[in-house]
Amino acid sequence: MFVLTVDQRRSRRDKDRVEALLPEVNRAPLLRRFERTAGDEVQAVTDNPRLVVTLALDLLRRKHWSVGIGIGAVDLPLPESTRAGRGRAFEAARTAVEAAKSAQVPVAVAGPDAARAESAQTAMVLTGLVIVRRSAQGHTAVGLMDRGLTQSEAAEILGITKQAVSQRLATAAWQPEVAGRVLAERMLREADR
């Protein structure tokens, strides 16, 4: 099982971003939806490693969040409220988010198998690094590809040539990101065994 604990960065010097975030992240098919747990922190539960990767990398792209991913058992049945959840995955998520707060790429993974959690974290950090260093133009081009458009269709929408789209995707390291997502998902799945 996976618990995501997400904390707003520099919240004392910034506006509260939790209320705007919740409707967006809660579109995902989670076992327990993101809820505010304390102050500027939110937490959710899922059993889907691909969804964990998608949510964590989206939160990193936004640049306002530290993301902790906890792996492990949870007390079942899950309570209706995420805040009432208990178990090793919740404890690991707390450890992970605290580690993420001081990391260059603010994502961390913790779980019962430290070596597997570290491998998952490495995949998340390297993939996250691609995303946090990407330009706004790169994010736009990658976003169009993620929607399933062809490069020709993206070029038409952006008002540029297909070659310019290809160059933006290369500069944005889109293919390495795709490979990193696959690797991160695999590492999370293995860490949850």
Side-chain angles (χ1 to χ4, degrees):
M1 195 72 66
F2 304 97
V3 174
L4 288 99
T5 299
V6 180
D7 191 54
Q8 184 177 332
R9 302 183 71 178
R10 296 178 290 280
S11 60
R12 292 185 179 157
R13 293 172 286 179
D14 194 6
K15 66 182 181 179
D16 183 335
R17 296 179 181 275
V18 170
E19 290 306 314
L21 178 72
L22 289 174
E24 294 176 20
V25 292
N26 279 328
R27 292 183 191 133
L30 295 155
L31 293 177
R32 291 297 176 267
R33 296 166 45 99
F34 277 98
E35 290 181 6
R36 185 187 296 260
T37 52
D40 55 0
E41 183 179 277
V42 297
Q43 193 169 56
V45 181
T46 183
D47 59 358
N48 183 333
R50 179 176 292 162
L51 183 57
V52 171
V53 171
T54 299
L55 288 167
L57 294 176
D58 177 60
L59 289 160
L60 290 177
R61 181 187 57 78
R62 295 167 187 257
K63 299 185 179 187
H64 296 289
W65 306 97
S66 295
V67 181
I69 301 167
I71 303 169
V74 296
D75 292 352
L76 297 175
L78 280 170
E80 288 300 313
S81 171
T82 305
R83 289 181 298 232
R86 300 282 180 266
R88 299 276 314 241
F90 285 91
E91 295 163 11
R94 166 67 40 221
T95 299
V97 78
E98 291 303 322
K101 289 177 185 180
S102 60
Q104 180 182 1
V105 178
V107 61
V109 180
D113 184 327
R116 287 184 174 180
E118 184 178 343
S119 293
Q121 178 172 310
T122 299
M124 290 297 302
V125 167
L126 292 174
T127 308
L129 189 60
V130 167
I131 289 169
V132 299
R133 291 188 171 177
R134 184 175 287 155
S135 70
Q137 289 180 330
H139 281 300
T140 300
V142 168
L144 292 171
M145 295 297 99
D146 288 345
R147 287 180 24 207
L149 276 68
T150 66
Q151 289 186 23
S152 296
E153 293 166 332
E156 187 174 322
I157 289 169
L158 296 172
I160 59 177
T161 66
K162 180 181 173 189
Q163 292 77 13
V165 170
S166 180
Q167 184 176 10
R168 282 188 190 180
L169 292 172
T171 302
W174 178 51
Q175 290 300 326
E177 177 198 337
V178 171
R181 284 175 179 268
V182 171
L183 178 61
E185 178 185 346
R186 184 180 325 134
M187 295 294 98
L188 285 170
R189 183 174 284 112
E190 287 180 12
D192 190 35
R193 289 186 181 166

